[in-house]
Amino acid sequence: MERKPLKSLVKEVLDVGGCLVEENGDLLEVVVTPEIAGKLGLKEHEILYFTPQESRNGQFISYSSDILDSISELMEDKGHFCKVHLPRLYLKKERLDQIISQKLSLANSVLRSSRAVERTVSYLLLNFKYSAISEEKKEGIITVVVNELTLASPGEMMSTLLKGYYEGSRKEWRVEVRRPLEEVFSAACKVAEHEIRRELTDFVRRLDRRLNKDVARIEGYYGTLKEEVEARIQKRGLVGDDQERELSRIRAIDVELKRKIKEQRDRYSLRVNVELLNAIRVTMLASLVILRIRRKNREKRLELVWNPLLKDLELPACEGCFRPTGIFYLCDEELHHICPRCHECPSCHKAVCRVCYPQACPKCGGKFQER
Amino acid sequence: MERHPEYHLDISFSFISPEAVLARIARDEAGERRFYDLRLDVSHLSLLRSLEELLCLETLKGVEKFWYQIEVVKRVIRDFRGRAIFADEVGLGKTIEAGMAIKEYLMRGMIRRVLILAPPSLVSQWQEEMLSKFDLNFVSTDQVDPGKDESFWERERLIIASISLAKSRRHFARVIRNEYDLVVVDEVHHLKSRSTLNWKLVNALKSRFLFLLSATPVQNNLVELFNLITLLKPGLLRTESKFKREYVKRGDARTPANRDKLKELVREVMIRNTRSLVDVKLPKRFASTIIVPPSEIEQEIYQKLSRLVRERYKDGAGLSKVVSNNLLREAGSSPYALESSLAKLDGSLPSASVKEILGLIHSLNGTEKGVRLLELINKGKGKKLIFVHYLKSLEYLADLLAQAGLDFVEFRGGMTAAQKDGAIDSFRNQVDILLSMESGGEGRNVQFCNTMINYDLPWNPMRIEQRIGRIHRIGQTRDVFIFNFCLRGSIEEYILQVLDKKINMFELVIGEMDAILGNLPREADFEDIVMDIWLKSQSEEDLREGFNWLGEEMLRAKEGYEETKQWDEVLFSDDLGV
Ligand SMILES: [Zn+2]
Ligand SMILES: [Zn+2]
Ligand SMILES: [Zn+2]
């Protein structure tokens, strides 16, 4: 189980890249063009083997081999994007009010009406690879789903998708309406960021702990240095210029302390690089549920999808953070539908729409941090 | 304990969205599913890499990797998180360990900007090793003068700098203005006290990772240890006065008071392997000096040249130090090496004297050193590596060996990498003699050979050590034999008096020579001192006196080093290894 996937993967990629590959028991015999040979650091005729203890002629390939970094280049632009069309599934169109009232809680508005229509809907599944680098490094791959019509992110549908319907049907659904790709993609990036932050929780906690430990040690160090100077002033009963000289030493220690603390923070700061690897577009027939919601004499139209894979209503995406939210507010300014967190200033706790005011709170002036 | 405000990491995200992917999605231009799956699977492969396997191992060239070196790199990255003192005993390969860790961090994408600070005498060696063994193209302050190149410190990503240059008033501020991901400081015992510019420079550098290298991290007192650790982890040993109170015996700056607790703390930042600990035994070295009496003509050539150089150097009008030095070294190598540059210099020297010397060289029929070399070769079987510095000398020896019907290969500058590999291969498999110039051989393994002949002798002991290092290093299993040729009465004879007789240089371990030279009171190079003595001496008496003095200085430097070494051995014993 451990070894085979690597060998067959390498074989497949070399195949795709136009190399001549022959499987020979445990080995792969490869003939490549000079150009590819240069790219991969192989000879034009090379034997690849996958079991470390054998000392044969050829190249040993393991999970830590260099070649795995360059090998995906052989695929050029293949595998960046594909599509799946799901067969027609059962669609719920009746008695949706009950589900709506179960799933949604309208915090400052009322539901006026709802109706359902059949609609072709497409989803983008995007695979992102992240590498989080501080004094340690953590990598991972996450997948994010975005409904291209509503920007909802029904992550749960992935497990169902992978179970069986994934192979799809031959019939291609025509999708009439879809948000512009930029909107879909930027929603996906926001969702990805949350997802990655969640995966990094323990990693970050560990680094946080070390940062605080280091800072505490440094504060202790400089604190003691200061005490030592103060004790000297006391003991020698220094006054005037002599005292002033020692006091300026204390000020210098403070400056150095600030610098050292900043240095620690820089040292631990975490940079997360996220790269889009590839994407798949899933198209299916679904029930589009159109809600009319009212807030202080103004009305908002909100579209949600009843997803036949989930057999459930998708939670709407908050317009601030794009996370799915059951409880939502409509803002006074533009009727944005936002989750409780995007509806409150973290400093003064007053109601503020983070979509209308992305930078700072209009009430207390507090700056909003990236979350 | 006082409560501190809690700090949180600064986290920043950056998204890379390849146009190739986005454009396809936008155009709804789908490809095959199996390719999609394959790309995803290949991406998952890289996640299977753990730290347990070092990525760099496969990429190293001509480096023998030892288990303890691999272990050091893993511990530095995993346990020390890139801030550590590498304090292996001399000869165990600290540079290799540091190089492996640099390569590993680079391959894992964890660092981009690296600054290596080394003593001036080691800058070019670092550069050469990083290139030949790790395929890392560092730019050094030996190649580029950052004083003339305004954007040097900002622009270059991989820098090897002389620490003396970096700390100079002219560069200090510019060096510390940049942020580095990794700073490596070699021979950190030079940092010593916190009032030195060396220490202040390293303390002011902004870098996530920091490697401090030294086989003898502390030399005079325990506070030096405090100072080094304070660079890595300020506060670990508290303040200096608290440190002294707690860990240093009253009235004795070299004896720890609380040995076990101190060691416990030091263990958090320092790794030190000893040969006994990792069970690496270096074979012995045996050196013999072959003093060859010159023929009458040879003697005349050497004396005439010597006199000429002394006169012309003294009156200030004729020769620079560099040219004088080179002429004398050529004369020590072979008359043929001297011949070509002497001919070129005609004009800045009295042409009558030049003609006279050239005439003498033309009247030569072979050399005495050549005769003795053939005798030596014919005496014993086995592989022999003959080092020679000058191309003309090499060509002369090639003729000599060919005429004697001896099979040999040449290794010289100007050969392509493939030619060089070929030469080493046939030396390994077919031919018993390799005739080699020094340059470009660093990364190539010739440890299958255990006999080395210095047909000529570099004046700089570090260069001699580099030659020896080609065959005498960990991995060599047999005793090593070194033969040094010199003409009686030549500078080389005096140098060998000092290096061989006085301080037994040829029995030292690689790396120790530098430590000894670092103990010389004057900042001047050994080579410069030799040159000064030679130029200022009027008689043989003067020469003997001058070199006696140098010998005594070297002996004192060696004793100082040995004392330090022993102290460090006692201080750290064998408890800080991997
Ligand atoms: Zn929100
Ligand atoms: Zn506020
Ligand atoms: Zn709003």
Side-chain angles (χ1 to χ4, degrees):
Chain A
M1 182 62 202
E2 271 283 304
R3 218 175 70 218
K4 217 169 160 235
L6 179 59
K7 192 178 90 180
S8 49
L9 267 178
V10 170
K11 178 176 188 308
E12 264 186 79
V13 178
L14 290 172
D15 265 336
V16 170
C19 310
L20 230 66
V21 192
E22 199 163 304
E23 207 164 337
N24 191 345
D26 237 19
L27 311 171
L28 293 181
E29 283 187 47
V30 191
V31 180
V32 298
T33 64
E35 189 199 344
I36 292 179
K39 226 188 262 174
L40 300 183
L42 295 177
K43 284 186 242 144
E44 288 175 35
H45 182 220
E46 184 84 80
I47 291 168
L48 307 180
Y49 63 100
F50 297 80
T51 324
Q53 62 271 29
E54 300 162 77
S55 63
R56 311 188 219 198
N57 283 333
Q59 283 246 13
F60 168 59
I61 309 285
S62 74
Y63 288 109
S64 52
S65 291
D66 241 9
I67 196 179
L68 300 185
D69 288 332
S70 38
I71 204 170
S72 60
E73 280 176 40
L74 288 185
M75 300 189 62
E76 290 171 349
D77 57 353
K78 293 190 188 77
H80 279 138
F81 179 55
C82 73
K83 287 199 285 193
V84 167
H85 300 277
L86 296 191
R88 172 182 269 278
L89 302 166
Y90 164 76
L91 294 181
K92 188 173 179 74
K93 284 174 241 167
E94 315 285 301
R95 273 193 299 234
L96 282 159
D97 285 358
Q98 206 185 331
I99 299 175
I100 292 168
S101 67
Q102 268 169 21
K103 292 217 67 162
L104 299 184
S105 145
L106 282 53
N108 64 355
S109 58
V110 286
L111 177 68
R112 288 291 303 273
S113 70
S114 69
R115 65 190 172 91
V117 294
E118 221 173 85
R119 186 64 64 76
T120 319
V121 186
S122 69
Y123 295 82
L124 270 188
L125 269 74
L126 303 113
N127 297 305
F128 290 98
K129 175 171 177 174
Y130 68 85
S131 49
I133 299 173
S134 172
E135 40 157 48
E136 284 182 78
K137 176 177 175 179
K138 186 169 162 48
E139 290 182 308
I141 292 178
I142 56 149
T143 309
V144 165
V145 188
V146 180
N147 182 321
E148 293 191 273
L149 182 61
T150 66
L151 301 186
S153 172
E156 323 85 77
M157 75 184 259
M158 247 154 351
S159 57
T160 325
L161 252 179
L162 292 169
K163 258 180 226 152
Y165 300 107
Y166 206 54
E167 284 317 308
S169 89
R170 257 163 250 274
K171 179 161 164 37
E172 191 167 335
W173 302 106
R174 247 184 65 76
V175 179
E176 272 121 36
V177 193
R178 169 185 298 151
R179 299 272 189 109
L181 180 60
E182 302 83 81
E183 273 183 44
V184 176
F185 187 64
S186 87
C189 289
K190 288 219 166 121
V191 176
E193 187 176 322
H194 293 302
E195 198 54 40
I196 293 166
R197 277 177 190 267
R198 226 189 50 212
E199 282 200 4
L200 290 177
T201 312
D202 288 346
F203 181 72
V204 167
R205 196 176 296 140
R206 220 168 43 234
L207 289 169
D208 263 342
R209 208 179 309 131
R210 288 213 295 268
L211 167 64
N212 281 292
K213 202 175 138 203
D214 281 359
V215 169
R217 216 186 40 227
I218 286 170
E219 284 174 340
Y221 175 64
Y222 287 98
T224 314
L225 277 183
K226 280 202 292 190
E227 283 166 20
E228 285 171 2
V229 178
E230 276 156 8
R232 195 156 51 226
I233 298 175
Q234 286 265 308
K235 194 171 142 200
R236 298 184 191 163
L238 297 180
V239 286
D241 281 355
D242 293 336
Q243 185 189 29
E244 183 47 40
R245 197 166 47 243
E246 295 297 322
L247 288 175
S248 78
R249 196 165 292 174
I250 290 185
R251 287 192 292 274
I253 292 172
D254 274 326
V255 171
E256 178 80 354
L257 169 63
K258 280 218 184 75
R259 188 176 76 83
K260 285 284 175 188
I261 289 178
K262 180 171 182 310
E263 235 179 73
Q264 292 304 314
R265 302 195 59 172
D266 290 345
R267 219 153 71 61
Y268 282 99
S269 67
L270 184 68
R271 197 180 70 243
V272 188
N273 294 321
V274 191
E275 185 182 3
L276 174 63
L277 292 173
N278 60 4
I280 190 165
R281 178 170 272 146
V282 178
T283 311
M284 63 187 170
L285 209 58
S287 294
L288 181 70
V289 184
I290 300 153
L291 309 179
R292 297 163 73 87
I293 304 170
R294 186 168 193 134
R295 159 110 180 119
K296 293 183 181 167
N297 301 329
R298 289 159 72 197
E299 219 175 76
K300 161 132 179 164
R301 180 189 149 106
L302 183 64
E303 295 184 342
L304 299 177
V305 164
W306 189 91
N307 185 318
L309 277 176
L310 294 175
K311 300 196 177 62
D312 204 349
L313 193 68
E314 291 171 2
L315 289 178
C318 160
E319 286 185 85
C321 64
F322 291 89
R323 271 183 280 192
T325 178
I327 308 172
F328 65 83
Y329 292 85
L330 293 187
C331 84
D332 287 332
E333 290 85 350
E334 303 280 340
L335 297 184
H336 292 122
H337 62 276
I338 43 182
C339 71
R341 292 217 276 176
C342 294
H343 184 252
E344 190 188 87
C345 163
S347 311
C348 68
H349 302 287
K350 288 190 176 130
V352 171
C353 171
R354 297 281 292 263
V355 186
C356 293
Y357 303 98
Q359 310 294 347
C361 168
K363 293 178 177 151
C364 74
K367 289 245 183 338
F368 295 142
Q369 301 244 315
E370 270 296 323
R371 289 152 310 158
Chain B
M1 182 95 185
E2 207 182 320
R3 277 204 48 93
H4 301 281
E6 185 137 348
Y7 290 98
H8 289 286
L9 297 192
D10 296 320
I11 305 180
S12 61
F13 274 78
S14 63
F15 281 83
I16 309 156
S17 17
E19 202 38 48
V21 190
L22 285 180
R24 272 157 190 278
I25 303 174
R27 293 197 302 266
D28 203 27
E29 199 177 294
E32 285 180 57
R33 245 305 285 290
R34 61 183 183 109
F35 292 151
Y36 166 87
D37 289 339
L38 190 58
R39 180 175 288 276
L40 205 53
D41 286 343
V42 170
S43 307
H44 269 106
L45 278 182
S46 63
L47 301 184
L48 295 172
R49 295 174 174 176
S50 68
L51 204 122
E52 285 315 306
E53 280 184 276
L54 295 180
L55 305 179
C56 67
L57 297 182
E58 274 188 56
T59 64
L60 308 187
K61 284 189 264 175
V63 183
E64 262 202 85
K65 292 148 279 191
F66 291 87
W67 66 271
Y68 65 87
Q69 294 176 329
I70 295 171
E71 216 43 47
V72 167
V73 176
K74 282 182 183 170
R75 278 198 62 191
V76 164
I77 294 177
R78 189 188 51 205
D79 302 342
F80 296 137
R81 295 189 197 81
R83 290 177 86 82
I85 303 176
F86 293 60
D88 279 4
E89 228 185 351
V90 159
L92 291 177
K94 281 182 296 297
T95 317
I96 302 289
E97 291 166 0
M100 278 163 69
I102 294 171
K103 184 81 179 180
E104 187 68 21
Y105 272 138
L106 281 168
M107 287 183 73
R108 287 177 185 268
M110 293 177 70
I111 57 174
R112 257 177 51 81
R113 290 181 62 100
V114 183
L115 172 66
I116 297 174
L117 295 171
S121 62
L122 294 176
V123 166
S124 63
Q125 203 174 321
W126 266 94
Q127 188 179 20
E128 152 111 47
E129 289 203 38
M130 288 301 112
L131 184 63
S132 66
K133 295 180 176 157
F134 302 96
D135 200 19
L136 294 175
N137 209 343
F138 275 83
V139 180
S140 83
T141 52
D142 277 9
Q143 299 165 286
V144 180
D145 176 4
K148 290 191 183 115
D149 182 346
E150 281 295 305
S151 61
F152 176 81
W153 300 108
E154 286 72 30
R155 184 188 64 234
E156 296 299 338
R157 231 163 35 79
L158 304 175
I159 299 177
I160 298 170
S162 135
I163 191 165
S164 320
L165 178 125
K167 75 179 177 194
S168 65
R169 183 199 294 249
R170 175 148 194 196
H171 295 289
F172 192 108
R174 303 196 54 178
V175 176
I176 64 165
R177 201 165 56 198
N178 297 289
E179 289 186 18
Y180 304 92
D181 300 308
L182 168 61
V183 168
V184 180
V185 189
D186 193 12
E187 306 294 1
V188 279
H189 46 265
H190 294 311
L191 303 189
K192 285 190 186 117
S193 101
R194 277 173 296 151
S195 58
T196 61
L197 270 177
N198 281 334
W199 193 92
K200 285 180 178 160
L201 174 70
V202 178
N203 183 50
L205 282 169
K206 291 186 278 285
S207 176
R208 173 172 274 161
F209 303 121
L210 179 61
F211 298 168
L212 304 179
L213 278 54
S214 173
T216 47
V218 285
Q219 309 223 294
N220 301 309
N221 58 62
L222 284 167
V223 171
E224 292 170 2
L225 181 65
F226 169 84
N227 291 336
L228 288 183
I229 291 179
T230 298
L231 286 174
L232 286 169
K233 281 199 170 184
L236 185 71
L237 300 176
R238 325 276 291 280
T239 60
E240 181 177 335
S241 53
K242 287 206 167 176
F243 169 78
K244 280 180 174 161
R245 220 171 303 147
E246 205 163 332
Y247 298 110
V248 184
K249 199 173 155 198
R250 206 169 260 278
D252 179 0
R254 295 170 66 108
T255 305
N258 206 334
R259 196 178 283 267
D260 290 341
K261 197 166 167 218
L262 177 62
K263 216 171 255 177
E264 212 45 59
L265 289 170
V266 171
R267 205 190 303 277
E268 283 187 40
V269 288
M270 179 163 137
I271 197 159
R272 174 175 170 88
N273 291 305
T274 59
R275 279 190 291 281
S276 66
L277 197 63
V278 300
D279 200 24
V280 164
K281 289 186 188 64
L282 275 176
K284 290 208 184 74
R285 288 189 200 164
F286 297 97
S288 8
T289 296
I290 298 171
I291 303 170
V292 180
S295 70
E296 252 172 63
I297 304 179
E298 280 178 313
Q299 177 142 15
E300 228 185 314
I301 295 171
Y302 199 86
Q303 282 175 349
K304 285 213 153 67
L305 177 83
S306 221
R307 203 174 311 129
L308 184 63
V309 168
R310 270 197 198 111
E311 279 163 11
R312 298 303 292 180
Y313 181 71
K314 204 169 47 195
D315 69 20
L319 298 174
S320 70
K321 208 165 188 168
V322 183
V323 176
S324 315
N325 175 309
N326 194 48
L327 286 173
L328 288 167
R329 281 170 55 213
E330 285 170 335
S333 177
S334 79
Y336 310 106
L338 178 63
E339 183 183 11
S340 62
S341 56
L342 204 53
K344 270 182 231 142
L345 272 179
D346 202 4
S348 53
L349 289 171
S351 60
S353 319
V354 171
K355 277 213 184 72
E356 198 186 349
I357 295 174
L358 287 175
L360 285 168
I361 294 175
H362 292 147
S363 73
L364 269 177
N365 183 21
T367 68
E368 289 302 308
K369 264 167 69 182
V371 174
R372 298 294 292 272
L373 177 69
L374 289 179
E375 276 172 28
L376 179 69
I377 291 174
N378 288 322
K379 219 186 282 173
K381 285 206 173 73
K383 308 268 177 205
K384 294 180 182 66
L385 172 54
I386 303 174
F387 270 116
V388 62
H389 183 78
Y390 292 98
L391 182 62
K392 289 287 171 203
S393 302
L394 181 133
E395 286 171 355
Y396 158 65
L397 288 184
D399 283 346
L400 187 75
L401 295 178
Q403 273 166 28
L406 290 164
D407 231 2
F408 65 94
V409 272
E410 291 177 33
F411 186 101
R412 49 164 110 174
M415 281 163 64
T416 65
Q419 284 170 330
K420 285 178 179 170
D421 288 340
I424 300 292
D425 273 351
S426 55
F427 182 41
R428 183 188 293 110
N429 300 318
Q430 291 134 26
V431 181
D432 276 348
I433 299 171
L434 180 69
L435 202 50
S436 175
M437 306 220 297
E438 281 122 333
S439 54
E442 263 299 322
R444 290 175 175 78
N445 183 357
V446 283
Q447 286 168 55
F448 51 85
C449 164
N450 71 335
T451 302
M452 190 183 112
I453 298 169
N454 286 313
Y455 185 77
D456 54 21
L457 195 80
W459 294 4
N460 180 345
M462 295 301 290
R463 295 257 167 273
I464 303 176
E465 197 177 52
Q466 268 177 36
R467 285 185 177 182
I468 300 170
R470 298 292 310 283
I471 60 170
H472 188 253
R473 51 169 117 170
I474 35 173
Q476 176 60 271
T477 50
R478 297 172 298 166
D479 288 344
V480 162
F481 298 90
I482 301 160
F483 297 93
N484 301 305
F485 277 83
C486 65
L487 275 185
R488 166 157 299 149
S490 65
I491 299 183
E492 287 78 7
E493 191 195 356
Y494 287 97
I495 291 177
L496 283 168
Q497 283 279 358
V498 173
L499 296 181
D500 188 15
K501 293 273 142 37
K502 203 78 190 176
I503 65 161
N504 299 317
M505 163 181 185
F506 295 93
E507 278 155 34
L508 298 173
V509 174
I510 300 289
E512 292 190 307
M513 197 61 223
D514 179 55
I516 294 172
L517 291 173
N519 275 352
L520 277 179
R522 278 208 278 161
E523 281 247 333
D525 284 343
F526 180 89
E527 196 173 342
D528 285 344
I529 302 175
V530 166
M531 188 70 184
D532 269 1
I533 296 174
W534 191 264
L535 291 173
K536 283 181 189 140
S537 297
Q538 302 299 330
S539 63
E540 219 165 294
E541 187 66 14
D542 289 354
L543 278 173
R544 217 168 309 137
E545 213 170 275
F547 280 98
N548 268 343
W549 167 82
L550 178 58
E552 290 305 317
E553 290 289 326
M554 288 294 285
L555 194 60
R556 249 194 301 282
K558 185 187 176 189
E559 285 163 358
Y561 161 72
E562 252 153 20
E563 199 185 318
T564 302
K565 187 173 79 165
Q566 271 160 24
W567 179 45
D568 278 40
E569 272 163 18
V570 172
L571 187 60
F572 302 121
S573 62
D574 271 1
D575 316 343
L576 294 166
V578 289

